[in-house]
Amino acid sequence: TQNAFGDAPPLWMAKKVVTHEAIGTYKFHNCEDQTVASLWKRSQSFSSTEHGAPFSKLALSKLLVLKDRSAREDYFAQQASFVTLEGRKDMYAE
């Protein structure tokens, strides 16, 4: 049988193809790093023979907080310019 896209394979068989990669740097005057890190110690009552080996889950994320409206507008203007410029370089971009 033919699917809705003619001879294209079903979506579950589709493979992602990267046609263009680019890296840019946001230009800004200053920044304040407010990174927070924590360290937890194993509980004193933990027994490795009783419960098996302990495990931990570490999740890291990045949050960009811009100081004011001017900084936000500048950031998004630079982002839009970058996306437009790099999108024109990719012949497969929509």
Side-chain angles (χ1 to χ4, degrees):
T1 66
Q2 231 181 14
N3 62 25
F5 300 105
D7 295 327
L11 290 178
W12 61 270
M13 291 181 66
K15 178 181 176 187
K16 178 179 177 179
V17 177
V18 177
T19 60
H20 183 74
E21 290 185 9
I23 296 175
T25 302
Y26 173 54
K27 297 168 186 70
F28 56 92
H29 296 289
N30 59 24
C31 77
E32 183 178 332
D33 184 357
Q34 295 186 351
T35 303
V36 176
S38 299
L39 176 65
W40 290 270
K41 292 184 178 180
R42 184 187 307 171
S43 170
Q44 294 294 332
S45 64
F46 178 81
S47 168
S48 61
T49 57
E50 193 175 307
H51 300 290
F55 69 92
S56 60
K57 181 178 180 181
L58 177 64
L60 300 175
S61 61
K62 178 172 47 175
L63 175 64
L64 179 63
V65 179
L66 300 165
K67 183 177 180 177
D68 55 25
R69 181 180 183 152
S70 175
R72 191 169 44 256
E73 289 172 352
D74 179 59
Y75 175 81
F76 286 112
Q78 286 188 45
Q79 181 186 54
S81 175
F82 177 81
V83 168
T84 301
L85 177 67
E86 293 302 323
R88 290 182 180 148
K89 295 178 183 178
D90 185 357
M91 61 187 278
Y92 298 105
E94 295 178 5

